[in-house]
Amino acid sequence: MSYELYYWTGIQGRGEFVRLALEDARAAYTDVAREEGDDVMSAWLDGEHEGALPFAPPFLKSGRLVIAQVANILHYLGPRHGQVPDSEAKRIYAHQLQLTITDLVVEAHDVHHPVGAGAYYEDQKTEARRRAKEFRESRIPKFLQYFEKALERGGGRHALREFSYVDLSLFQVMSGLDYAFPKAMSRHDVPLLRALAKRVAERPNVAGYLASDRRLPHSENGIFRHYPELDA
Amino acid sequence: MSYELYYWTGIQGRGEFVRLALEDARAAYTDVAREEGDDVMSAWLDGEHEGALPFAPPFLKSGRLVIAQVANILHYLGPRHGQVPDSEAKRIYAHQLQLTITDLVVEAHDVHHPVGAGAYYEDQKTEARRRAKEFRESRIPKFLQYFEKALERGGGRHALREFSYVDLSLFQVMSGLDYAFPKAMSRHDVPLLRALAKRVAERPNVAGYLASDRRLPHSENGIFRHYPELDA
């Protein structure tokens, strides 16, 4: 059975966390909007299909199941593709870590859109400068140190002592933050996170994906945006 | 077995979504910080205990399990207390709806803290006014209409055709939004959500809880804050 992934074309965005899991698992999937255009998602969002009603992309169709919210999708895919340990305690912890990544992603987005996604960045640059300062000086360190400590608990090589989708998502977080805040990121000493991101990028299926044209570049349309004035 | 809930004292906050579930289930639990003070959480957040490392309160201790993130906690408690339907598809959907509530809660918080939680509201009032306008005019309607449509799909009386923790959380969302934005909320016609919130408040265990001193009032220290200048 092949999955159908629905996400905005043209950006990595939140869909990328799901893509990395599907690609690492070599799961068969169609990136539907990239084949048919973003409009294909409207009918789902308008409630014209049966089943779960998604609030926003990404959402995944797996047989008759419709699953929205990145962390929910990964929680579903993980056990099916050996991307999460077997025990209940570890699955709950993996999900918690992923939900904390979700929180970080919201904050990384809101740095450039502090007064709302309804206005362009250009119309909220002053506010963005203030939010960016706090994000760089307080939030990035807090999140990075948290995940570094989680890795330490996991024995150093994995968030959960063995490989999981959380490792893939931590790679994506580091990739995005490095792109958006190269100066701020250069000041953080997080050796375990750095080594993890490198190892993930070298996993054969991930490396193949990153070298393919399915992996879009970071850009100023995505979540992690590089505006030099927002970096330190 | 009694649960231990850890959350900041003095506010409803994110902990309230968990409290409502525990209270509705008449589950035995200790609201630990309310008995021992907020400091009791530090050792957990500093990683001095074994098991999962929480990033922030609330977190729940259930036997040896430590579970953080509201939606993760409810996903765990739901099946144990008959607060979610049995089928996998419905549990995934319940969790998705809860994660969408999580998104709304972040936005409701960021209305009064658009440039970050590190500065007082008084120091970001100008930015808050801008963000509040978009929240009132665009985001509140989008979320309310989404949940109204979800209720419609569920047959009108429940988000999931039968009672679930999502109903409890939708009650809390309506309670918080009504408190923070009475004027803006008065302009929305969401009869199914209104009727649901009323029915939830009348569930015997919920009604008992709401009338008890365990239910703290809304306040300007919580997530849903009433600042008249941010309402319409």
Side-chain angles (χ1 to χ4, degrees):
Chain A
M1 189 205 62
S2 178
Y3 298 110
E4 291 177 11
L5 172 65
Y6 291 82
Y7 192 65
W8 305 114
T9 57
I11 58 168
Q12 290 183 11
R14 287 180 169 82
E16 198 66 10
F17 294 93
V18 181
R19 273 188 204 104
L20 281 166
L22 293 168
E23 293 279 349
D24 184 75
R26 274 198 183 271
Y29 76 101
T30 311
D31 209 329
V32 184
R34 286 201 186 159
E35 303 210 344
E36 302 179 25
D38 284 343
D39 285 349
V40 74
M41 296 187 287
S42 307
W44 291 94
L45 299 172
D46 292 345
E48 290 168 25
H49 292 282
E50 302 230 325
L53 182 68
F55 181 75
F59 50 94
L60 185 81
K61 197 155 181 299
S62 171
R64 293 178 59 177
L65 273 182
V66 181
I67 311 166
Q69 290 275 359
V70 169
N72 200 25
I73 297 172
L74 297 176
H75 189 56
Y76 169 81
L77 290 174
R80 280 160 186 78
H81 297 283
Q83 293 179 329
V84 73
D86 276 335
S87 83
E88 184 195 21
K90 289 199 167 184
R91 287 189 182 175
I92 289 173
Y93 188 30
H95 192 48
Q96 177 210 310
L97 291 168
Q98 191 66 41
L99 289 170
T100 307
I101 290 170
T102 303
D103 290 343
L104 189 165
V105 166
V106 172
E107 295 192 27
H109 171 272
D110 285 4
V111 163
H112 49 79
H113 278 79
V115 299
Y120 290 112
Y121 166 63
E122 284 66 27
D123 297 326
Q124 48 186 301
K125 287 177 82 163
T126 313
E127 293 89 345
R129 241 175 242 253
R130 283 193 72 185
R131 176 120 189 188
K133 185 173 192 304
E134 176 168 327
F135 187 65
R136 286 193 316 265
E137 295 179 3
S138 162
R139 302 304 287 171
I140 289 183
K142 187 174 161 88
F143 279 110
L144 291 188
Q145 282 156 26
Y146 171 76
F147 288 117
E148 186 77 2
K149 201 186 281 181
L151 282 169
E152 208 178 295
R153 282 204 162 198
R157 288 180 62 86
H158 299 291
L160 291 161
R161 231 164 249 288
E162 56 189 287
F163 172 73
S164 74
Y165 61 78
V166 180
D167 292 348
L168 298 172
S169 290
L170 286 174
F171 156 80
Q172 178 64 8
V173 160
M174 293 301 282
S175 166
L177 289 176
D178 280 341
Y179 172 78
F181 304 97
K183 287 188 189 165
M185 287 295 283
S186 71
R187 285 194 294 274
H188 294 291
D189 188 31
V190 281
L192 297 178
L193 267 173
R194 286 278 165 217
L196 171 72
K198 192 162 174 292
R199 279 198 310 278
V200 167
E202 288 165 354
R203 288 172 68 87
N205 296 347
V206 174
Y209 168 63
L210 295 178
S212 77
D213 57 9
R214 297 191 301 288
R215 169 79 170 186
L216 299 178
H218 288 291
S219 80
E220 282 56 70
N221 296 313
I223 288 167
F224 297 104
R225 303 190 186 182
H226 179 56
Y227 295 121
E229 64 273 22
L230 300 187
D231 195 9
Chain B
M1 189 205 61
S2 177
Y3 298 109
E4 292 176 12
L5 171 66
Y6 291 81
Y7 192 66
W8 306 115
T9 57
I11 58 168
Q12 290 184 11
R14 288 178 169 83
E16 198 66 11
F17 294 93
V18 181
R19 273 187 206 106
L20 281 166
L22 293 168
E23 293 279 350
D24 184 75
R26 274 200 183 266
Y29 76 102
T30 311
D31 210 328
V32 184
R34 285 199 187 162
E35 303 212 342
E36 303 179 25
D38 284 343
D39 285 349
V40 73
M41 297 187 287
S42 307
W44 291 94
L45 299 172
D46 292 345
E48 291 168 25
H49 292 282
E50 302 229 325
L53 181 67
F55 181 75
F59 49 94
L60 185 81
K61 197 154 180 299
S62 170
R64 293 179 58 178
L65 273 181
V66 181
I67 311 166
Q69 289 276 358
V70 169
N72 200 25
I73 297 171
L74 296 176
H75 188 56
Y76 169 82
L77 290 175
R80 279 160 185 78
H81 297 284
Q83 292 178 330
V84 72
D86 276 335
S87 84
E88 184 195 22
K90 289 200 167 183
R91 287 188 183 176
I92 289 172
Y93 188 30
H95 193 47
Q96 177 211 307
L97 291 168
Q98 191 66 42
L99 288 170
T100 306
I101 290 171
T102 304
D103 290 344
L104 188 166
V105 167
V106 172
E107 294 192 27
H109 171 272
D110 285 6
V111 163
H112 48 80
H113 277 80
V115 299
Y120 290 112
Y121 166 63
E122 284 66 27
D123 296 326
Q124 48 187 301
K125 287 177 82 161
T126 314
E127 293 90 343
R129 239 177 243 252
R130 282 194 71 185
R131 176 120 187 188
K133 186 173 192 304
E134 177 170 326
F135 187 67
R136 286 193 317 264
E137 294 178 3
S138 163
R139 303 302 287 172
I140 288 182
K142 188 174 160 87
F143 279 109
L144 291 188
Q145 281 156 27
Y146 171 76
F147 289 116
E148 185 78 2
K149 201 187 283 181
L151 282 169
E152 206 178 295
R153 280 204 165 198
R157 289 180 61 87
H158 299 290
L160 291 159
R161 230 163 250 288
E162 55 189 289
F163 172 72
S164 74
Y165 62 77
V166 179
D167 292 347
L168 297 173
S169 291
L170 286 174
F171 156 79
Q172 178 64 9
V173 159
M174 293 301 282
S175 166
L177 290 175
D178 280 340
Y179 172 78
F181 304 98
K183 287 189 190 165
M185 286 297 281
S186 71
R187 284 195 294 273
H188 294 292
D189 188 29
V190 280
L192 298 178
L193 268 174
R194 286 279 165 218
L196 172 72
K198 191 163 175 292
R199 278 197 311 277
V200 167
E202 288 166 355
R203 289 173 68 86
N205 296 346
V206 173
Y209 168 63
L210 295 177
S212 76
D213 56 10
R214 299 191 301 286
R215 169 78 169 185
L216 299 178
H218 289 291
S219 80
E220 280 57 68
N221 296 312
I223 289 169
F224 297 104
R225 302 189 186 182
H226 179 57
Y227 295 121
E229 64 273 24
L230 301 186
D231 195 9

